[in-house]
Amino acid sequence: MKNLLIVGFGNEFRRDDGLGIKLLDQINENVDKLKVQELSIDLVDILKEYDIVLFVDASIEGGPISFKKIEKEEKFSPLTHHLTCEELLFWIDALYKRSPEFYLLSIRGYDFDFGEELSEKARENLDLAKKFVQNFINETISNKLSD
Amino acid sequence: MENKITISPVTRIEGHARVTIHLDEDGKVKNAYFHVDQFRGFEKFSEGRHFSEMPVITERICGICPISHHLASAKACDDILGVDIPKTAKLLRELIHMGQIIQSHSMHFFELAGPDLILGWDADPRIRNVVGLIQENPELALKAVKLRKYGQRIIELVAGRRIHPTFAVPGGVNNALSPSARDEIMSGIDEMISYIKEGIKIAEDYIEKNRDLCNKFASFSTGYMGLVKDDGSLELYDGKIRFMDKDGNILKEFKGKYYLKYIGERVEDWSYLKFPFYKPLGYPDGVYRVGPLARLNVADKISTPLANEEFKKFKAIGYGKPVEGSIYYHYARLIETLYALERTREILDDPDVMSQDVLVLGNVSNEEGIGVVEAPRGTLIHHYWVDEKGTIEKVNLIVSTGHNNWAMSKAVEEVAKAFVDGKNLKEGMLNRVEGAIRCYDPCLSCSTHAIGKMPIVVEIYDNSGNLLESVVRD
């Protein structure tokens, strides 16, 4: 079983929507990373191999950064191809009888227009998120060592 | 660890759509529309970039079929260079395209369409979804995951990364195929074929038991458009565009580069998404459908044996005429997935696939470039205009969901008229309306190129224009 995976998702060409992807580019710690544009069902076969998965995404509201533990949820979007973190956790539990710990770090974005540059506020939030993730990684690794 | 826990929404949903159902004085459905309330933007965003960047820019349009945009774009770039790319590069591009078809089609059938077919239109909405599907048949759900993963793995092994590869470039591809990648892909084909045959059996059983519904559900006459090979067989990567009228007559076959001569785009004031039509017939007589149903309707045969056997059964449904019922999109989608798996094996068996000859160099030779592929949802057209240095001056993209815009609205109207009773509204009625849209597997982020907050809102208005009910599905 692998310990920690960080999943960044979003669209780099929709400005602040790419915050999750851009954050992964700034994380130099030796940890498994995965970039995706959307969350889809095939990911469950990858995520099930980990004890802890940290998702990083842009958010359209809330504080500069927000963090929560994901609980599995039997949701269903009848037309969309995109799954939520909660749905992915449900799939893993239902199909593989596994329950990795899922967390979501949301980084507040402001400008979701076409383009590659982040808004100024989003850049500030990205710095906060980077420190948060580095602390998260260090804490996860130290917890693992003390096990 | 920082102790800060806040609920925050994620943003990734593909577009924002709305269905409005208008009732007459008796509470019966008078009209229904499928609105797409977003705007287009990638065309503008691309202006001023160098054309060689387009394959990696446009694949960001969509998180579900980025490879289709990547390849249509690369083909348009080849056209700007005026080069014929090496055979090996064509094979490898087609190979990742097959991976795209496999992952996208299988995900749609098992995750989105499957619950309607396997659990029923009127099943409790709490279980009429993937949750119910898993509970009903966990092994099938697992196979759906594996099929999707297999398609993605083909892309990853051949193109180097699972999303947003830089693989296809103007003039070919930037990497040859490794023997280990070939062997890994080849080793999984038989298992995946067995999975998709299981899906086809589910679809065939459903059709057998619900023949009347399948023939009537969102069934209406349109033209059909899709790529075919020179011999008239199904083609998904590179061929000629065939246009068929509602009676099954082949009206025209033309190279993709002539699309502007035959395809017009109409604007309606109730949707931001345009309405393409076949110019010689005008609008609305020239409206047409694309995607799996259309492709099988326009094709004479399929070049791979297992898929062709299924194709014969599909053709028998129409007794020589086009198959019109929208539910048959699901069946056609599975047959195409079988073809994509068989075609994957054919490509890997071709000795030229392992050649190192994968790229030709060239200079900007043409002021325009046009690339056409059959994306999972239908014909995808990229058209670029450049200056002498290759800087993009103008872009036109016609995506699959756009071609089907008229048809989706018509499907909604047909199903609403058949099933919705404004005085006795039931959840299963609305599910059928959504199911009509689901047949087309629309990808709204792709068609509108915009981020949205919810997939769909269904609104019902009375004869005086008062909003009676609004149902949000997110």
Side-chain angles (χ1 to χ4, degrees):
Chain A
M1 192 58 61
K2 300 173 186 174
N3 187 222
L4 172 65
L5 173 69
I6 303 181
V7 180
F9 62 110
N11 188 338
E12 302 158 275
F13 286 1
R14 299 303 301 271
R15 297 193 187 278
D16 294 354
D17 193 55
L19 277 164
I21 302 287
K22 284 183 163 51
L23 179 77
L24 253 61
D25 288 336
Q26 295 189 11
I27 297 297
N28 297 317
E29 281 75 4
N30 185 22
V31 59
D32 288 355
K33 295 184 283 188
L34 179 65
K35 292 179 185 176
V36 289
Q37 189 164 320
E38 298 187 15
L39 303 179
S40 55
I41 57 167
D42 53 302
L43 292 181
V44 300
D45 208 50
I46 297 171
L47 305 183
K48 76 175 196 308
E49 302 294 334
Y50 289 85
D51 294 321
I52 299 171
V53 179
L54 173 63
F55 295 92
V56 187
D57 186 22
S59 168
I60 57 173
E61 60 184 22
I65 60 171
S66 311
F67 178 73
K68 70 170 180 174
K69 189 169 193 292
I70 300 291
E71 304 294 339
K72 68 177 180 181
E73 193 174 327
E74 299 178 13
K75 282 182 68 178
F76 176 56
S77 306
L79 290 170
T80 181
H81 304 107
H82 169 77
L83 296 183
T84 63
C85 305
E86 288 83 356
E87 286 173 289
L88 283 173
L89 191 55
F90 172 82
W91 275 77
I92 292 172
D93 184 42
L95 292 177
Y96 304 102
K97 310 300 177 203
R98 290 218 66 242
S99 294
E101 291 178 32
F102 273 18
Y103 298 94
L104 172 64
L105 176 67
S106 301
I107 311 171
R108 177 75 160 93
Y110 307 89
D111 181 353
F112 294 84
D113 203 347
F114 297 91
E116 293 163 85
E117 293 298 316
L118 294 177
S119 67
E120 192 176 330
K121 281 185 178 177
R123 280 203 302 273
E124 292 171 8
N125 296 346
L126 183 61
D127 289 339
L128 290 174
K130 180 182 173 184
K131 288 173 188 158
F132 181 91
V133 171
Q134 286 168 331
N135 287 338
F136 186 93
I137 293 169
N138 291 336
E139 188 158 323
T140 303
I141 291 171
S142 64
N143 285 345
K144 186 72 178 172
L145 290 174
S146 64
D147 281 348
Chain B
M1 187 183 302
E2 193 174 341
N3 184 19
K4 186 175 181 183
I5 299 177
T6 313
I7 294 174
S8 180
V10 290
T11 58
R12 208 109 314 82
I13 295 174
E14 83 258 1
H16 182 170
R18 191 161 52 98
V19 171
T20 57
I21 298 172
H22 301 263
L23 306 177
D24 62 18
E25 54 271 22
D26 297 323
K28 301 294 181 192
V29 174
K30 186 167 64 179
N31 301 107
Y33 300 97
F34 176 61
H35 312 255
V36 179
D37 298 336
Q38 297 276 12
F39 62 96
R40 299 162 71 89
F42 252 92
E43 290 98 333
K44 245 1 206 177
F45 170 59
S46 302
E47 289 176 7
R49 310 293 292 248
H50 194 259
F51 81 100
S52 59
E53 292 182 276
M54 293 303 281
V56 293
I57 291 175
T58 56
E59 65 186 346
R60 262 78 171 182
I61 291 172
C62 179
I64 298 301
C65 55
I67 297 303
S68 302
H69 284 287
H70 187 56
L71 296 178
S73 181
K75 289 174 79 173
C77 292
D78 299 338
D79 201 19
I80 288 170
L81 293 181
V83 297
D84 186 20
I85 71 170
K87 180 188 174 187
T88 302
K90 286 181 188 169
L91 289 171
L92 294 178
R93 285 184 183 181
E94 187 180 357
L95 183 56
I96 60 170
H97 195 47
M98 294 304 102
Q100 170 78 91
I101 296 285
I102 294 163
Q103 62 91 350
S104 178
H105 275 6
S106 57
M107 178 175 68
H108 181 267
F109 180 76
F110 290 104
E111 186 190 352
L112 293 175
D116 287 334
L117 273 55
I118 295 169
L119 303 167
W121 297 99
D122 296 307
D124 185 337
R126 286 173 300 181
I127 61 148
R128 193 192 59 231
N129 50 45
V130 289
V131 177
L133 195 63
I134 291 171
Q135 288 166 349
E136 175 85 8
N137 194 338
E139 287 183 7
L140 186 67
L142 196 56
K143 288 168 185 171
V145 171
K146 287 183 176 176
L147 267 165
R148 162 93 181 169
K149 189 184 177 195
Y150 181 74
Q152 292 286 67
R153 185 68 177 149
I154 291 175
I155 296 165
E156 189 175 9
L157 284 168
V158 179
R161 50 204 283 198
R162 52 185 291 126
I163 65 157
H164 305 157
T166 56
F167 181 64
V169 293
V173 299
N174 62 13
N175 216 356
L177 184 66
S178 73
S180 62
R182 178 196 57 193
D183 294 347
E184 182 180 333
I185 298 168
M186 191 67 107
S187 69
I189 291 177
D190 285 338
E191 185 181 3
M192 297 304 132
I193 284 177
S194 72
Y195 293 170
I196 204 63
K197 285 170 83 174
E198 207 172 313
I200 289 172
K201 179 75 167 55
I202 290 169
E204 288 177 341
D205 286 350
Y206 182 86
I207 292 166
E208 183 66 29
K209 290 175 188 162
N210 301 276
R211 178 75 64 178
D212 194 46
L213 173 75
C214 292
N215 288 338
K216 291 179 179 170
F217 187 88
S219 182
F220 46 88
S221 293
T222 59
Y224 297 95
M225 190 176 84
L227 290 181
V228 292
K229 303 182 202 293
D230 285 340
D231 66 357
S233 56
L234 174 73
E235 175 58 46
L236 298 176
Y237 173 70
D238 198 18
K240 55 188 176 182
I241 294 176
R242 175 180 279 185
F243 190 89
M244 173 180 277
D245 72 8
K246 59 185 173 58
D247 297 317
N249 303 306
I250 298 170
L251 293 186
K252 196 72 187 175
E253 291 181 347
F254 55 94
K255 291 182 179 175
K257 64 196 264 188
Y258 300 119
Y259 84 97
L260 280 177
K261 186 176 176 186
Y262 298 104
I263 298 173
E265 290 187 279
R266 170 91 169 195
V267 176
E268 295 281 4
D269 59 8
W270 46 272
S271 176
Y272 284 97
L273 193 55
K274 292 179 188 172
F275 292 80
F277 62 97
Y278 181 64
K279 274 184 182 174
L281 293 179
Y283 182 87
D285 290 347
V287 295
Y288 58 89
R289 286 186 264 184
V290 299
L293 182 85
R295 289 191 290 248
L296 295 202
N297 273 334
V298 303
D300 301 323
K301 58 187 174 183
I302 295 181
S303 59
T304 60
L306 295 175
N308 196 48
E309 286 307 305
E310 297 298 333
F311 176 79
K312 289 175 188 169
K313 297 179 198 171
F314 172 88
K315 282 291 190 186
I317 294 168
Y319 297 103
K321 296 288 184 184
V323 177
E324 294 183 330
S326 295
I327 282 183
Y328 291 116
Y329 261 97
H330 299 314
Y331 184 35
R333 200 169 277 123
L334 295 170
I335 295 171
E336 285 193 337
T337 311
L338 180 56
Y339 163 74
L341 286 159
E342 289 187 285
R343 181 66 189 140
T344 295
R345 177 153 49 205
E346 282 184 349
I347 292 170
L348 294 176
D349 275 335
D350 190 320
D352 288 328
V353 80
M354 300 307 297
S355 165
Q356 302 290 311
D357 179 21
V358 295
L359 183 66
V360 290
L361 301 177
N363 297 312
V364 174
S365 303
N366 296 309
E367 294 177 342
E368 294 178 42
I370 297 170
V372 180
V373 298
E374 283 294 338
R377 288 151 197 82
T379 315
L380 172 63
I381 301 170
H382 279 218
H383 187 177
Y384 310 148
W385 288 261
V386 297
D387 67 11
E388 67 281 1
K389 292 179 180 173
T391 304
I392 296 282
E393 294 182 323
K394 184 181 166 189
V395 171
N396 188 39
L397 308 175
I398 304 183
V399 301
S400 322
T401 300
H403 292 293
N404 277 335
N405 195 15
W406 187 91
M408 285 189 288
S409 202
K410 180 70 172 171
V412 163
E413 183 176 290
E414 292 290 312
V415 171
K417 284 180 175 174
F419 295 102
V420 173
D421 179 352
K423 290 180 176 173
N424 184 25
L425 197 63
K426 292 180 178 168
E427 200 279 340
M429 296 174 186
L430 294 181
N431 185 44
R432 284 172 172 81
V433 173
E434 291 174 351
I437 302 169
R438 269 199 289 280
C439 293
Y440 295 83
D441 190 16
C443 195
L444 303 177
S445 60
C446 192
S447 54
T448 60
H449 315 171
I451 197 162
K453 295 180 184 176
M454 61 186 71
I456 193 166
V457 179
V458 180
E459 295 174 337
I460 299 178
Y461 292 87
D462 68 14
N463 191 42
S464 304
N466 302 310
L467 181 63
L468 296 180
E469 187 136 10
S470 178
V471 183
V472 176
R473 300 296 188 100
D474 60 6

